[in-house]
Amino acid sequence: MNLAEAFKRTSSQLAGHGKRNLHVLKDALQQLDGELESDYYGTGQIIETFQEKIASYLGKEAAVFFPSGTMAQQIALRIWCDQKGVKKVAYHPLSHLEIHEEEGLKELHQIESVLLADNDRIIQLEDVVNMADDVSCLLLELPQREIGGQLPEYETLEAISAYCREKGIKLQLDGARLFEILPYYQKTAAEVCRLFDSVYVSFYKGIGGLAGAILAGDTDFIEKSKVWKRRHGGDLISLYPYIISADHYFDQRVAKMGSYYEGAKELASYYNQCAGVRTLPLVPVSNMFHVHIRLPVETAEKVLIEVYEETGIGLTGRLNKVSSSSCYFEVSIGDQYEQVPKTKLDHLFDVLGTKLKNRG
Amino acid sequence: MNLAEAFKRTSSQLAGHGKRNLHVLKDALQQLDGELESDYYGTGQIIETFQEKIASYLGKEAAVFFPSGTMAQQIALRIWCDQKGVKKVAYHPLSHLEIHEEEGLKELHQIESVLLADNDRIIQLEDVVNMADDVSCLLLELPQREIGGQLPEYETLEAISAYCREKGIKLQLDGARLFEILPYYQKTAAEVCRLFDSVYVSFYKGIGGLAGAILAGDTDFIEKSKVWKRRHGGDLISLYPYIISADHYFDQRVAKMGSYYEGAKELASYYNQCAGVRTLPLVPVSNMFHVHIRLPVETAEKVLIEVYEETGIGLTGRLNKVSSSSCYFEVSIGDQYEQVPKTKLDHLFDVLGTKLKNRG
């Protein structure tokens, strides 16, 4: 049996909101009147109401619903590049745009990327100030997912924002996990978004909807983004399955981000008590973190499978290799964490800790 | 009251499958087990099974599900252009790509279009043979929607296909309404698709699903299209609401295309008996046609609203202006047509005919 199968057989899991099955959609639809009309190519009550709601939540003039963040962010960057007449943007080397989009930004928009900071650290003010290239836009991903969800200090954000405004560089927020970082910053979404010219947020990470994204900014920017949405093939006749689920789970979960964050800190401390295990960040700043294990991926898999079988609790379905002697996995706390009683958690980490010690 | 409102108030309608409301999705989901797992970025049982089913139906090696036809077709053309190294394609001046996509093909892919035939007629073999430009791909839309859904003779298709193969021009089928034309051609989908290198079909026209499209072709072509799907932002974590509804209504309606076609011919003959009314085509070759009325749009609206109020039957919610003295609307026959009894239909056209005569 492999890790993914063993994980599926567990009766409870520490991360996430649960399975991504049809119940997620069925539950969101259940309370809604079947007579409710579909949205129609970006118009209609369902889409317009939700766009206004999220624009207001983010403190922006306007917002538009997109099928994906990939589409929304490429378009945001294209608009800022066209406006300035410079086809260059800056972001982190582990940005979604750089590693998960098959070079879409270059292939579809002919936009070059300037990579700031390094694979193992986040962007700081000096990286921006020392940038040699003239760019139209700087994209900041908060938190930086691929390195465990790290965040700059809020003052750094403010300083970067002020610097970019002074230099005529637009600032785009990759807020795939924006809701998740508000408890750490102790800010409202609108306070954070005020530092940015345009903002993308996602509805299937901490919110746990089906898919879909919102891009928000000033009215002129949003009107342009609608034209690009059509060009990309994202202006569907009906987007309502995504909008309805986004709205449903936003209402259900946006206020729970604080408790997810507390859960993440607690769970990380459990992991950090195990031999050869270290979370990144050491103390989480959102609902997410990475768990690094100083064991070859094959050995770590064996240990985890044994733990799942002995305790019935799943930690992850997937390990990523770092080197021949280490690996890691990602944790995002959701609804499931608080359903596992403390006594079970203590027992689980006793078992895991002992097994790791014996293998180490 | 305007025409759209009056249309909404009618108790039955002659065209379409009914309202695009949440019932469409709820009905498709109803029979399915909530435990069924979501697709996951293009993988998983739901998406793979449907792709194989439609590939087989179309007689192609492979297929991929796209959120939209706009995305699927731009990508098909891009692949063929890259393969030949010529960034030029040919299609009809009223192609979806030319008039409904905000120049996406040019803006995102830098592909030039060569327009064949004219606004008022479909592409014939001579148009292709006499084309001065070298193009990578010719796109044929069957039927040509914007001129009432006209079709070339099947022999013309065969001749164009043979010519393109000889000249190294790829042939892409815009089959947004492919299912709908098979009864007229008396061919299977696979027989028609054999003439084409790549094929797009839609699931929310005659099929009546929520949205979504399939692109089909050989395995190498389809693998490339998946990379472009990701670049476009169309490789969503979950596409299942579209896939499930496409599959559900495909099974329910693909065998009914013959009856929709018969209904279209019957209904067109009713319209053609009215003074100053003419359908395009005169005899439909699919489930669709246009109804041209020799009256100013405002006058025609008044007539239609009176007819709706008197009979309770709706014909269209929208009129398109052709000139100061004429207008038209589109009709696509679906499930609703056969629900209107013949006696009501006779009465309806008596009323419409009389009112048109008095205004004409």
Side-chain angles (χ1 to χ4, degrees):
Chain A
M1 183 158 47
N2 66 30
L3 185 64
E5 285 162 20
F7 180 70
K8 272 191 190 167
R9 292 193 191 180
T10 57
S11 53
S12 58
Q13 297 84 36
L14 294 189
H17 298 304
K19 288 187 179 145
R20 288 187 58 86
N21 59 26
L22 264 56
H23 283 305
V24 178
L25 177 57
K26 286 189 175 207
D27 291 353
L29 279 170
Q30 200 172 18
Q31 302 299 324
L32 293 173
D33 184 356
E35 298 293 323
L36 194 59
E37 261 186 83
S38 171
D39 53 310
Y40 184 74
Y41 295 114
T43 65
Q45 190 208 313
I46 290 180
I47 191 164
E48 289 168 21
T49 307
F50 187 65
Q51 288 174 170
E52 285 161 22
K53 174 176 171 170
I54 301 300
S56 154
Y57 175 84
L58 300 174
K60 292 294 180 194
E61 269 179 30
V64 60
F65 192 88
F66 274 90
S68 73
T70 296
M71 194 185 289
Q73 293 217 108
Q74 284 184 24
I75 287 173
L77 298 181
R78 174 65 182 259
I79 293 170
W80 295 136
C81 283
D82 281 356
Q83 185 165 312
K84 189 168 181 174
V86 173
K87 289 214 138 192
K88 227 180 252 185
V89 297
Y91 48 63
H92 193 272
L94 296 178
S95 162
H96 197 274
L97 288 131
E98 193 66 15
I99 65 173
H100 290 306
E101 301 182 10
E102 297 279 1
E103 308 274 309
L105 192 69
K106 295 174 186 66
E107 295 285 345
L108 288 170
H109 297 285
Q110 296 76 48
I111 294 175
E112 273 180 69
S113 57
V114 175
L115 304 180
L116 297 186
D118 289 303
N119 278 7
D120 59 357
R121 66 169 184 88
I122 55 173
I123 296 172
Q124 299 292 348
L125 177 63
E126 306 81 75
D127 300 305
V128 184
V129 172
N130 295 331
M131 180 166 46
D133 304 77
D134 184 27
V135 301
S136 295
C137 183
L138 166 63
L139 176 144
L140 289 183
E141 182 186 345
L142 303 180
Q144 198 71 49
R145 183 235 181 140
E146 298 290 343
I147 45 176
Q150 297 183 47
L151 280 180
E153 292 306 309
Y154 198 73
E155 294 65 36
T156 302
L157 279 188
E158 291 177 311
I160 291 177
S161 173
Y163 178 82
C164 285
R165 272 192 196 157
E166 190 195 313
K167 296 294 180 184
I169 299 168
K170 296 291 180 184
L171 200 55
Q172 156 77 8
L173 171 56
D174 179 338
R177 292 164 184 81
L178 171 65
F179 312 118
E180 293 86 326
I181 62 169
L182 301 176
Y184 171 75
Y185 278 146
Q186 288 287 301
K187 300 283 176 190
T188 65
E191 283 167 336
V192 177
C193 292
R194 205 176 295 148
L195 304 175
F196 294 83
D197 298 285
S198 53
V199 175
Y200 138 70
V201 291
S202 170
F203 294 96
Y204 65 94
K205 279 90 183 186
I207 299 297
L210 255 68
I214 278 275
L215 184 66
D218 64 36
T219 306
D220 175 61
F221 169 85
I222 289 303
E223 285 310 307
K224 284 180 183 146
S225 81
K226 289 179 184 171
V227 175
W228 282 106
K229 180 181 167 189
R230 178 155 280 247
R231 287 175 180 151
H232 262 255
D235 189 20
L236 307 193
I237 186 169
S238 294
L239 279 168
Y240 72 79
Y242 299 127
I243 299 167
I244 281 170
S245 65
D247 198 18
H248 179 79
Y249 294 108
F250 177 84
D251 287 349
Q252 200 170 99
R253 294 185 178 133
V254 76
K256 291 168 107 181
M257 296 295 158
S259 114
Y260 300 155
Y261 168 50
E262 294 304 321
K265 285 189 289 185
E266 183 182 82
L267 182 58
S269 80
Y270 271 107
Y271 278 114
N272 286 315
Q273 285 158 32
C274 298
V277 175
R278 202 84 170 152
T279 67
L280 183 70
L282 199 58
V283 179
V285 291
S286 72
N287 74 325
M288 79 164 287
F289 56 89
H290 285 179
V291 179
H292 285 259
I293 306 175
R294 223 166 37 230
L295 282 178
V297 67
E298 300 75 19
T299 316
E301 272 200 22
K302 272 182 205 144
V303 169
L304 289 178
I305 292 172
E306 285 173 25
V307 171
Y308 298 174
E309 286 175 344
E310 202 167 321
T311 65
I313 301 175
L315 305 178
T316 183
R318 181 185 165 161
L319 286 175
N320 308 290
K321 187 175 172 172
V322 176
S323 70
S324 62
S325 62
S326 71
C327 59
Y328 81 94
F329 62 95
E330 185 173 287
V331 172
S332 295
I333 296 297
D335 289 347
Q336 296 197 112
Y337 183 70
E338 61 182 14
Q339 290 160 20
V340 179
K342 206 58 172 281
T343 50
K344 283 204 172 182
L345 214 54
D346 289 336
H347 174 64
L348 166 74
F349 279 94
D350 275 350
V351 173
L352 178 65
T354 308
K355 286 187 191 293
L356 286 169
K357 212 187 245 171
N358 296 340
R359 298 275 185 164
Chain B
M1 184 158 47
N2 66 30
L3 185 64
E5 286 163 18
F7 181 70
K8 272 190 190 169
R9 292 192 191 182
T10 57
S11 55
S12 58
Q13 297 85 35
L14 295 188
H17 298 305
K19 288 186 179 145
R20 288 186 59 85
N21 59 26
L22 263 55
H23 283 306
V24 177
L25 177 56
K26 287 189 175 208
D27 291 352
L29 279 169
Q30 201 172 17
Q31 302 299 323
L32 294 172
D33 184 355
E35 298 294 323
L36 193 60
E37 260 186 83
S38 171
D39 53 310
Y40 184 74
Y41 295 115
T43 66
Q45 191 209 312
I46 290 180
I47 190 163
E48 288 167 22
T49 307
F50 187 65
Q51 287 173 171
E52 285 161 23
K53 173 176 172 172
I54 302 300
S56 154
Y57 175 84
L58 300 174
K60 292 293 181 194
E61 269 179 33
V64 61
F65 192 88
F66 274 91
S68 73
T70 296
M71 195 184 289
Q73 293 217 109
Q74 285 182 24
I75 287 173
L77 298 182
R78 174 64 182 260
I79 292 170
W80 295 135
C81 282
D82 282 356
Q83 185 165 312
K84 190 168 181 175
V86 173
K87 289 214 138 191
K88 227 181 250 185
V89 297
Y91 49 61
H92 193 273
L94 296 178
S95 162
H96 196 274
L97 287 132
E98 192 66 16
I99 65 174
H100 291 305
E101 300 181 11
E102 297 279 3
E103 308 273 310
L105 192 69
K106 295 174 187 67
E107 295 285 344
L108 288 170
H109 297 284
Q110 296 76 49
I111 295 175
E112 274 181 66
S113 58
V114 175
L115 305 179
L116 297 186
D118 288 303
N119 279 6
D120 59 359
R121 66 170 185 86
I122 55 173
I123 296 172
Q124 299 292 348
L125 177 62
E126 306 83 73
D127 299 306
V128 184
V129 172
N130 296 330
M131 180 166 45
D133 304 78
D134 183 27
V135 301
S136 295
C137 183
L138 166 63
L139 176 144
L140 289 183
E141 183 187 345
L142 304 180
Q144 197 72 50
R145 183 234 181 141
E146 298 289 342
I147 45 177
Q150 298 183 47
L151 280 180
E153 291 306 311
Y154 197 73
E155 293 66 33
T156 301
L157 279 188
E158 291 178 312
I160 290 176
S161 173
Y163 179 82
C164 285
R165 272 193 196 155
E166 190 196 312
K167 296 293 180 184
I169 298 169
K170 295 292 180 183
L171 200 55
Q172 156 77 9
L173 171 56
D174 179 339
R177 292 165 183 81
L178 170 66
F179 311 118
E180 293 87 325
I181 62 169
L182 301 176
Y184 171 76
Y185 278 146
Q186 289 287 300
K187 301 283 177 190
T188 65
E191 283 168 335
V192 176
C193 292
R194 206 176 294 147
L195 304 175
F196 294 82
D197 298 285
S198 52
V199 175
Y200 137 71
V201 291
S202 170
F203 294 96
Y204 66 93
K205 279 90 183 186
I207 299 297
L210 256 69
I214 278 274
L215 184 65
D218 65 36
T219 306
D220 176 61
F221 169 85
I222 289 303
E223 286 309 307
K224 283 181 183 146
S225 81
K226 289 179 185 173
V227 176
W228 282 106
K229 180 182 167 188
R230 178 155 280 249
R231 287 175 179 150
H232 261 256
D235 189 20
L236 307 194
I237 185 169
S238 294
L239 279 168
Y240 71 80
Y242 299 130
I243 300 166
I244 281 169
S245 65
D247 198 18
H248 179 79
Y249 294 108
F250 177 84
D251 287 349
Q252 199 171 98
R253 293 184 178 134
V254 77
K256 290 168 109 181
M257 296 295 158
S259 113
Y260 300 156
Y261 168 49
E262 293 306 321
K265 284 190 289 187
E266 183 182 83
L267 182 58
S269 80
Y270 271 107
Y271 277 114
N272 285 315
Q273 284 159 32
C274 297
V277 175
R278 202 84 169 151
T279 68
L280 183 70
L282 199 59
V283 179
V285 291
S286 73
N287 74 323
M288 78 163 288
F289 56 90
H290 285 180
V291 180
H292 284 260
I293 306 176
R294 223 166 36 229
L295 282 177
V297 66
E298 300 75 17
T299 315
E301 272 200 21
K302 273 182 203 141
V303 169
L304 290 178
I305 293 172
E306 285 173 26
V307 171
Y308 298 174
E309 286 173 344
E310 203 167 321
T311 65
I313 302 176
L315 306 178
T316 183
R318 182 186 165 160
L319 285 175
N320 308 290
K321 187 175 172 172
V322 176
S323 70
S324 62
S325 61
S326 70
C327 58
Y328 82 95
F329 62 94
E330 185 173 286
V331 172
S332 295
I333 296 298
D335 288 347
Q336 296 196 114
Y337 182 70
E338 62 182 13
Q339 290 160 20
V340 179
K342 207 56 174 280
T343 50
K344 282 205 171 181
L345 214 55
D346 287 337
H347 174 64
L348 167 74
F349 278 95
D350 274 351
V351 173
L352 178 65
T354 307
K355 286 188 191 291
L356 284 170
K357 209 188 246 171
N358 295 340
R359 298 277 184 162

